[in-house]
Amino acid sequence: MPGNALILVENLSVPFDRRVWQECTTLRDAGWTVHVICPQGTKRDTEPEVVLDGVHILRYPLTAATGGPAGYLREYGAALWHTARLARRVGRVDVVHACNPPDLLFLVALRLKRRGAKFVFDHHDLVPELYLSRFGRGRDLLYRGVCALERATFRAADVVISTNESYRDVALTRGGKRPADVFVVRSAPVVERFHQVPPEPELKRGKPHLLCYLGVMGPQDGVDFALRALAKLRDDLGRTDWHAVFVGSGDAFDAMVALSRELGLDDRVEFTGRIPDADLVRYLSTADVCLSPDPHNPLNDVSTMNKIMEYMAMSRPIVSFDLREARVSAGDAAVYAPANDELEFAKLTARLLDDPAERRRMGDIGAARVAGPLSWANSAKSLLAAYAAASR
C-alpha cells in the first residue's frame, strides 16, 4: 500500500528538475505522500519550505561548485549535512528515494533504513564516468574513491531505477544487482511544457534559418563543439544564411560566450541564459534544426540526453554526434556525425537546412516516438512497479 516517500535530490531544485517532478506527481497520484529535500534555486524554487500541488518540498541553501574536484567536495559535504538535517524533520518514511549525483546520499538512506525504510536508488548519472569526462585526471585516487561510493550506493539500495538500458547494465554488472531489482524509468519531456506555437521569423534576426541548442552548459556538454562546428559551417562551407540561439546556462556559460566571441560568431550566435517556458517554445517552434553536440566520452555515450527528448517533443530535426544512447532515443529523428567530428556536424547541419521535406519527416518521427514508446506514461508504470518491489 502507498505510504510516505522521501525523495533526495542534490543536482537541481524541484520542481525545476523535471524528471524528479514527474516522479513526484506520479507517486502522489498513486496515493503516496511525497516529501522532497533539494537545494534552493537562485531565481526560482527559492522558498525554504513549500507544499506544491500536494508535494511537500524542503530546500536548503547551496553554493554550486566552481573549479576542480575540491569545489565539489565542499558542495557535496554541505548538501549531505543539510539533507541529513532536514530528513529528521520529515519523520518516518516507508521509502527513501535518492537521486545522484553525488553518490553520497546513501549515507542518509542508511539511517532511514535502520528505521524500517526501503531504499530506492535513482541512477541519474554514472559518477565515475562523469569524473573521467569532466576533469581529465585519469583513474587517480579520487576516481577510485567515487567508484567505491558507487559500489556502496548499489549495495545499500533495495531497488535501482535506471534511466536507460545502458545504465541498467551497469547496475547488473558493476552494481551486482539482481535483474528483478532494477527498473528502467526513462526521462520523458513534460508534454504540457512543450507545445507548438506559430513560428516567429523575427527570431531568425533577418536570416533564412534558425539553429537552436537547449540545455546545460557544462564542460562535458559539447557547446564548444557546437560553436566550432558553426564556425566551420560559416568558414569551410560558406554558409551565412543562419542565426543560432543557445538556451540554457551552466558553469561553462561564460567560457562559451567568450569562445563565441573568439570565433567571430558574435553577430550570428545568441546566448539567452535560462528563459521562461513561453519563450523557450517560441524559439523551438521557429527553429529549423536543433543541435545535440554532446561529444563522445565514457559518460555521454551511454547517457540519455534530455535535450534530444525535448527537441522531439517539438517535432524538430536533430544533428547529433554518434552516441549509443542518442541513437536509442532519437532513431531516425536525428542525423549522426562521426564522434566529435565538427566538420561533419557542420555538413549534416547544412544538409538539413537545404531539405525542408526531410526536416518535416524527421520531426514527425520524433514526435511519434515521444508520444508513443518514449512517453512518460510508460515510465510511470515502471516507476510504480519499482516502488511496489521495494515495498514488498
Side-chain angles (χ1 to χ4, degrees):
M1 295 294 292
N4 291 316
L6 172 60
I7 300 180
L8 311 178
V9 189
E10 192 278 341
N11 201 36
L12 290 172
S13 63
V14 176
F16 181 70
D17 189 318
R18 299 290 181 172
R19 172 188 169 87
V20 173
W21 186 242
Q22 285 174 305
E23 292 175 328
C24 291
T25 55
T26 296
L27 292 167
R28 177 206 63 197
D29 292 346
W32 288 84
T33 300
V34 182
H35 308 267
V36 180
I37 297 175
C38 66
Q40 290 174 283
T42 53
K43 295 182 180 179
R44 54 174 295 177
D45 301 342
T46 56
E47 309 95 327
E49 183 172 4
V50 66
V51 176
L52 184 62
D53 294 343
V55 176
H56 178 216
I57 306 174
L58 293 165
R59 304 189 183 108
Y60 53 85
L62 187 66
T63 301
T66 56
Y72 285 88
L73 291 174
R74 288 191 294 270
E75 175 191 333
Y76 293 158
L80 188 64
W81 183 83
H82 283 295
T83 300
R85 172 180 63 85
L86 292 173
R88 296 188 186 97
R89 289 183 51 188
V90 173
R92 186 192 66 81
V93 297
D94 300 289
V95 172
V96 54
H97 174 155
C99 309
N100 81 329
D103 288 336
L104 285 168
L105 296 176
F106 78 95
L107 295 170
V108 178
L110 284 176
R111 185 173 63 83
L112 295 172
K113 283 190 71 172
R114 289 194 290 269
R115 299 179 182 181
K118 298 292 187 175
F119 175 28
V120 173
F121 172 41
D122 196 345
H123 196 191
H124 289 192
D125 272 317
L126 296 171
V127 175
E129 283 79 0
L130 176 62
Y131 179 83
L132 292 175
S133 301
R134 189 177 183 96
F135 298 114
R137 293 163 56 103
R139 299 173 185 268
D140 61 2
L141 181 62
L142 278 175
Y143 171 79
R144 294 193 293 272
V146 297
C147 289
L149 290 172
E150 182 190 72
R151 289 193 298 270
T153 300
F154 278 127
R155 277 198 305 271
D158 297 293
V159 164
V160 174
I161 292 173
S162 303
T163 55
N164 58 39
E165 291 291 343
S166 295
Y167 277 39
R168 184 174 189 270
D169 288 343
V170 170
L172 298 177
T173 54
R174 215 157 72 194
K177 305 307 290 184
R178 298 186 310 145
D181 294 330
V182 184
F183 297 79
V184 174
V185 178
R186 294 185 62 89
S187 297
V190 182
V191 293
E192 296 81 10
R193 185 187 184 207
F194 295 96
H195 56 277
Q196 293 280 348
V197 298
E200 300 181 30
E202 59 270 23
L203 297 178
K204 300 184 179 185
R205 301 292 180 91
K207 301 294 184 180
H209 302 296
L210 180 67
L211 308 174
C212 189
Y213 171 91
L214 164 64
V216 177
M217 298 186 190
Q220 74 275 13
D221 294 305
V223 176
D224 53 337
F225 282 81
L227 291 171
R228 289 190 294 267
L230 293 181
K232 292 180 185 300
L233 181 63
R234 177 197 61 194
D235 299 336
D236 293 32
L237 305 181
R239 299 294 295 259
T240 59
D241 55 346
W242 52 271
H243 178 69
V245 61
F246 285 73
V247 179
S249 190
D251 53 6
F253 180 87
D254 291 340
M256 294 303 98
V257 173
L259 177 60
S260 175
R261 190 177 304 117
E262 178 185 327
L263 294 170
L265 294 171
D266 306 55
D267 60 337
R268 61 185 64 254
V269 172
E270 173 185 358
F271 290 87
T272 69
R274 288 177 178 165
I275 57 177
D277 286 354
D279 292 327
L280 170 63
V281 297
R282 291 171 55 230
Y283 282 112
L284 290 177
S285 295
T286 306
D288 297 286
V289 175
C290 286
L291 309 177
S292 185
D294 307 86
H296 185 282
N297 59 40
L299 176 69
N300 290 345
D301 191 43
V302 294
S303 296
T304 299
M305 303 301 170
N306 288 335
K307 65 176 74 68
I308 286 180
M309 306 297 295
E310 292 164 351
Y311 295 155
M312 291 195 296
M314 292 295 293
S315 302
R316 300 297 94 181
I318 303 159
V319 181
S320 171
F321 287 121
D322 195 356
L323 307 177
R324 185 194 319 176
E325 284 294 334
R327 283 189 177 273
V328 171
S329 295
D332 291 337
V335 290
Y336 303 94
N340 307 352
D341 189 326
E342 295 157 359
L343 180 57
E344 286 302 315
F345 195 97
K347 288 179 179 178
L348 289 175
T349 302
R351 192 183 88 191
L352 288 181
L353 292 180
D354 291 335
D355 195 342
E358 178 67 358
R359 297 201 304 266
R360 286 192 296 271
R361 186 188 74 84
M362 293 170 62
D364 290 344
I365 290 171
R369 290 177 66 77
V370 167
L374 303 182
S375 71
W376 179 253
N378 293 323
S379 294
K381 294 175 186 175
S382 188
L383 173 66
L384 295 178
Y387 264 64
S391 302
R392 286 199 293 266

